[in-house]
Amino acid sequence: MVLKHFLPNEHVKTIFDIKPERLKQLGVKGIITDLDNTLVEWDRPSATPKLIEWFDEMRKSNILVTIVSNNNEKRVKAFSDPLDIPFIFQARKPMGMAFRRAIAQMGIKREEAVVVGDQLLTDVLGGNRSGFHTILVVPVASTDGFFTKFNRLVERRILNWFRKKGKIQWED
Ligand SMILES: [Mg+2]
């Protein structure tokens, strides 16, 4: 495994920093986004009003969105259905199958999609290895589900290494 696979193409503070105008400039037609701690806190069952607005903004700009989550069907469906947003649960990121399924469903090419998420070990690694443009967001909550806790320790070390090498400038 190559460490550069953990380096996202971009880094933003929150999902709301991802704007349709910018995506259009990049030729992006679709967003593949993680759910837990990317769109909302991992333990928040449904979207916030601000997030609903964000989805509407994307819809108006003809930017497609698919939620791709490693979480179970119950969680992902209950969150996505009220928003009328397509989703893939138990995605098994960092494996790339779910990303490929998402672009096939959206009818777009890999170069026309971005992969967004809060974790280096699943979202960024998976997206990079499958050749997607990746955007890392700061986790919405400072707490994590049980399995994510371990990933965070590893992530911390990778981020520190990148920081030392001057590959990333942001602080968190
Ligand atoms: Mg996440």
Side-chain angles (χ1 to χ4, degrees):
M1 198 172 294
V2 189
L3 214 49
K4 71 162 198 281
H5 282 151
F6 292 100
L7 192 63
N9 295 104
E10 287 182 58
H11 172 266
V12 292
K13 281 243 157 62
T14 76
I15 191 86
F16 308 115
D17 296 317
I18 301 174
K19 310 267 189 209
E21 307 79 48
R22 170 95 213 299
L23 294 176
K24 292 207 149 171
Q25 282 171 359
L26 290 171
V28 172
K29 294 181 179 165
I31 301 172
I32 296 171
T33 179
D34 175 51
L35 199 183
D36 295 319
N37 273 348
T38 295
L39 298 178
V40 293
E41 296 88 340
W42 63 279
D43 54 354
R44 180 191 289 272
S46 50
T48 60
K50 195 175 175 191
L51 186 63
I52 293 170
E53 241 172 69
W54 184 85
F55 278 112
D56 286 343
E57 208 186 319
M58 291 301 165
R59 205 172 268 133
K60 273 185 224 140
S61 310
N62 293 315
I63 308 260
L64 301 163
V65 182
T66 301
I67 295 174
V68 172
S69 170
N70 281 355
N71 212 330
N72 61 46
E73 178 173 15
K74 189 165 173 263
R75 157 67 165 157
V76 185
K77 187 176 166 54
F79 182 90
S80 311
D81 272 353
L83 301 165
D84 208 16
I85 293 288
F87 61 90
I88 295 172
F89 59 91
Q90 280 167 4
R92 306 181 76 180
K93 295 176 281 184
M95 287 198 276
M97 302 100 67
F99 297 141
R100 286 190 289 277
R101 225 171 92 203
I103 54 168
Q105 285 173 7
M106 290 191 278
I108 61 174
K109 293 182 236 152
R110 192 179 50 195
E111 314 84 71
E112 296 169 334
V114 290
V115 169
V116 183
D118 70 302
Q119 281 201 71
L120 288 185
L121 270 63
T122 54
D123 310 306
V124 173
L125 174 63
N128 282 346
R129 271 203 314 204
S130 300
F132 288 91
H133 184 94
T134 51
I135 306 177
L136 180 69
V137 304
V138 178
V140 175
S142 50
T143 61
D144 284 299
F146 181 78
F147 292 105
T148 306
K149 285 199 169 93
F150 171 76
N151 280 357
R152 291 288 179 211
L153 292 175
V154 180
E155 186 176 289
R156 187 69 27 215
R157 298 191 61 170
I158 298 171
L159 282 174
N160 285 340
W161 186 85
F162 280 139
R163 214 163 265 138
K164 261 204 315 228
K165 296 272 169 187
K167 302 251 185 216
I168 56 174
Q169 275 83 44
W170 70 83
E171 295 291 330
D172 60 2

